[in-house]
Amino acid sequence: AMRAAGLLLAWALLHPAATQQCHPASPGGVLRFTDRHAEIRVPALHRVPSSLDPLYGLVRRCLDLIQQNPLPTELLRTALNDPGSVRTSQVVQYELGYVVCAAVALLFTVAVPVAGMCFCYCRSRRRCGGRLRAHRRSLGCRRRCLLACLSFTSLTILISVTCAFVTNQRVKGQMEPGLGAVPATLRTLRQHLANVPQVPPLSCQGVQMVVDKFEVPRKQIISDLGGLSRSVGLSIHAQLKAMTYEALADLQDRAGDLQTSLHHLQILDRTTRALAAARAELEPALRERRRRVVALLDDPRCTSCASVLGRAQSLELGADYGKVPSVEKVLKALDGLPRSDFAEMIRQGNGTFNSIPELTVERMAQVIQDLRHDLARTAEKVQSIADSFPLPDYTRPVSEALVKAEDRSQPYLREVQRFERYRWIAGTVLCSIILLILACNVTGMALGAYGLSKREDPSDYECRGEAGAKFLLVGVGLAFLFSWLLILLVFATFLVGGNIQTLVCRNWINQEIYKFIDTPGNLPPSMNLTRQLNLRRDSNLTSTYRECKSGAGLWEVLQLDRSYNLDEHLKSPKYTAEFQKRLGDFTAHLGDVRLLRSEGRQDLETFARSGVDEVDYGRFQEEMKIPVVQTSLPGLARNLEGLQKMQVSGGAGGRGPSVPTGTSSPRCPPQRNSTVAGLLGAEARALWQMQNSTVQSQEALVAKLGESVEFLSRLAPHLKERVKKTLATTASVEARLPVQAQQILRQELGCFTRKELRYFTQYLNWVGQTLREDVASCQPLATALDNGRVILCDRIADPWNAFWFSLGCCTFFLIPNIIFAVRLTKHFRPIRNRLM
């Protein structure tokens, strides 16, 4: 057991304490930064789903069929660098699909008005659109077929003109804000670049605003520093108190064992001496008392005394405490103990240990002050992020290019807006004319059908049928009259919108335009965007767009000669090394608690060597089992009292000769028995007096001796082991307390350091994210390009192309509409010759 205890203590010294984990991160460990970043933003625009999306998709597929050629790189390069050398054949070859459509439109423009003039000439000669010459049974079927075809054509034209109205209005609704978004976006980009610097009067914005936010982690760290020392002290106290209090309690128990053992040993020595002296005094008195009682009981005059005689004869002393082991040697060894005040020693050790939190606060005061100074110097280092930010000098070319683009775009945008107004008016008027044609169709079919239903004789004249025919002819005349205007408007809008879709939008979406711009020699030197925007020499528009799209900063895409690297400025060790080193190098002597002084240790060692465990306490216990007197004095006294009563009552028996009946005895028995009875009573009283005065006092001493023997016999077998364990535990705790206190200190400071470094990391990550994504972000440039594509292609080009497509459907369906209407007018007029 002792070896196991030693191994346990050795393991405890080598493995002082289980590693205490840092407290888990709480929600309060996350810093909150006010969202007051760049106030100038470029909101991203997106394609809004519409019920006309199927129509837009159909138009785009038609344009892809019409124009299947890729981006004309060679043609565009020639047109931009040497416009005079562009050959018409090259343009026609690329625009072949549009040329074919132009030929169809020209044919339609010529053919339909010519056909209209021919129709008018025939009508003036009454050779076209007159009355039917004969009645046949198939006329009704033919009439219904013509009515169905004209109704279907009119319905198709109605749907198409409705789409034309809607898309015409949508183009107008998107054109004005779309054109206004161009200078607004350029102006917003310019303001975004202007808001990046940190110099006044923009000190509340841009990079300086981001740097000033270091106040958030600084205040949090200072707040944490305020409670660091007490928190560390309380942690040390909490983790070591179980071990320390257990050692103090064990020491208190051994001190109590020493005091109590010394007390019981003194009782043991005094009691055995007193018992031996009392036995020596009791022995002659008991011997005399036995002689007298035996003589009295052996007296022939004593009636019935023979039964008690044997008991009286055995009246002698019992236990002899002169034979028990002496404890004088032990008491001599313990003489003068305890020399030290264990109670005061334990109180001082407990007080010293409980003062660790206050001691920690005192020892860490200077390092806390130094850490506050380090934070002030760190704030100066953070300011270098703004002081060395180079963008104000390098964004000037971009700002100038944006100003130039804004100024040059204004006249073109005004012209586009003016022509758009004319287009909208023309489209609205022509769509209204188509609605008028449809109204004539519907009115003519309704009146004609009604007139036929009221006509009893097909050859009779009926005004409603005739009116229906005239309405149909009015619609036919309007179609002939305005069809060429319709086809011209369709072709003009088709040529513009189709080329925008196939030449610009399609190649914008697949980024072929960016590749064309990036290819050297495609653009003239005056349009070198890389130089005008001061982009990096090893980059181009495509890579710049992608970097900006992914959230790069302006300094990463501009030509800065590698003079600024934000990642280097945002490396945490640059700002935290001194802070971390000061906490890592801090040491303090804590936990120097003296639980047991040398004199107290000597007292316990003397106690263990005193021989308390060598005394034969079993011999004491064996002797205590023997009574003080072998025969019970109270029992013998009661027997004598009983015999006394028998003598007084004159009971027969005894040792004298029996007297025959009727013969008078020479002696007087009552008198004889009265004397014996008196003697018996006197002896009984003497025995009671001996019991009460002498034997009971010795029995009390024996009982007191038993308590001491019981305690010492329990303590003796484990005394040395307990004392040795207490001394080893006390020494181990005294040795471990400073070591473990230092370990806990290092551990708590390590946890604190990691926690505070997380604040630095959060701030620096927020700085990088804010500069890249907001304050000095390049993303607004990519957003502006994406917005331009959304506005031009999704919001303007799609409804624009849907407008000419819908209007073109109306225009081309006017041809079958004319044919069916002219053929149907004959059925609404009376038949000339009726066949029987």
Side-chain angles (χ1 to χ4, degrees), residues 25-314:
S26 61
V30 179
L31 298 178
R32 303 294 180 185
F33 298 98
T34 307
D35 188 14
R36 288 177 56 246
H37 307 161
E39 298 181 0
I40 307 300
R41 301 175 185 268
V42 179
L45 301 179
H46 303 282
R47 180 184 179 88
V48 180
S50 170
S51 57
L52 295 175
D53 285 345
L55 177 61
Y56 297 159
L58 176 62
V59 175
R60 283 195 294 269
R61 286 191 291 272
C62 292
L63 288 173
D64 289 339
L65 291 175
I66 294 172
Q67 177 57 282
Q68 300 181 8
N69 297 322
L71 183 69
T73 305
E74 295 296 331
L75 180 60
L76 289 175
R77 181 190 296 116
T78 304
L80 291 172
N81 290 278
D82 189 9
S85 63
V86 175
R87 291 177 295 175
T88 306
S89 59
Q90 292 178 313
V91 178
V92 171
Q93 183 180 358
Y94 176 74
E95 298 281 351
L96 184 59
Y98 293 99
V99 171
V100 173
C101 293
V104 173
L106 180 61
L107 178 63
F108 188 95
T109 305
V110 175
V112 174
V114 170
M117 288 187 291
C118 293
F119 177 75
C120 291
Y121 176 78
C122 291
R123 282 294 298 159
S124 66
R125 297 293 181 174
R126 296 182 178 275
R127 293 182 181 180
C128 184
R131 290 175 292 178
L132 292 175
R133 293 182 177 274
H135 177 71
R136 297 183 180 87
R137 293 182 179 179
S138 61
L139 288 178
C141 180
R142 187 181 301 173
R143 182 172 58 247
R144 287 190 293 274
C145 182
L146 289 172
L147 276 171
C149 291
L150 185 59
S151 299
F152 174 75
T153 306
S154 300
L155 180 61
T156 304
I157 294 174
L158 177 62
I159 295 173
S160 299
V161 77
T162 303
C163 292
F165 263 119
V166 173
T167 52
N168 186 52
Q169 191 63 32
R170 184 159 294 184
V171 171
K172 180 180 182 297
Q174 293 293 337
M175 186 66 74
E176 185 174 353
L179 296 177
V182 174
T185 301
L186 295 174
R187 188 164 48 252
T188 301
L189 288 175
R190 188 158 44 82
Q191 292 173 349
H192 171 71
L193 295 175
N195 270 4
V196 172
Q198 76 281 1
V199 295
L202 299 175
S203 58
C204 61
Q205 301 174 359
V207 182
Q208 186 61 43
M209 181 277 296
V210 176
V211 170
D212 290 342
K213 286 299 176 182
F214 181 69
E215 190 68 14
V216 175
R218 192 185 72 83
K219 286 183 178 179
Q220 182 63 50
I221 294 172
I222 288 178
S223 175
D224 292 346
L225 284 174
L228 173 62
S229 54
R230 177 158 292 277
S231 174
V232 171
L234 291 175
S235 181
I236 294 173
H237 185 272
Q239 294 183 49
L240 299 181
K241 66 180 180 181
M243 175 181 68
T244 306
Y245 288 164
E246 183 178 356
L248 288 172
D250 196 19
L251 179 60
Q252 188 172 12
D253 290 341
R254 298 293 80 74
D257 289 344
L258 173 60
Q259 295 278 5
T260 309
S261 298
L262 184 60
H263 172 69
H264 284 292
L265 285 170
Q266 292 171 349
I267 291 176
L268 198 66
D269 182 65
R270 289 195 304 269
T271 304
T272 53
R273 290 176 182 275
L275 286 173
R279 188 180 189 279
E281 293 178 3
L282 181 60
E283 184 177 9
L286 185 63
R287 189 183 307 114
E288 176 65 21
R289 188 58 50 201
R290 182 182 61 185
R291 185 187 64 78
R292 293 174 65 88
V293 172
V294 168
L296 179 61
L297 294 176
D298 196 38
D299 192 339
R301 293 175 297 175
C302 184
T303 304
S304 301
C305 294
S307 59
V308 186
L309 181 61
R311 194 169 192 178
Q313 288 175 345
S314 64

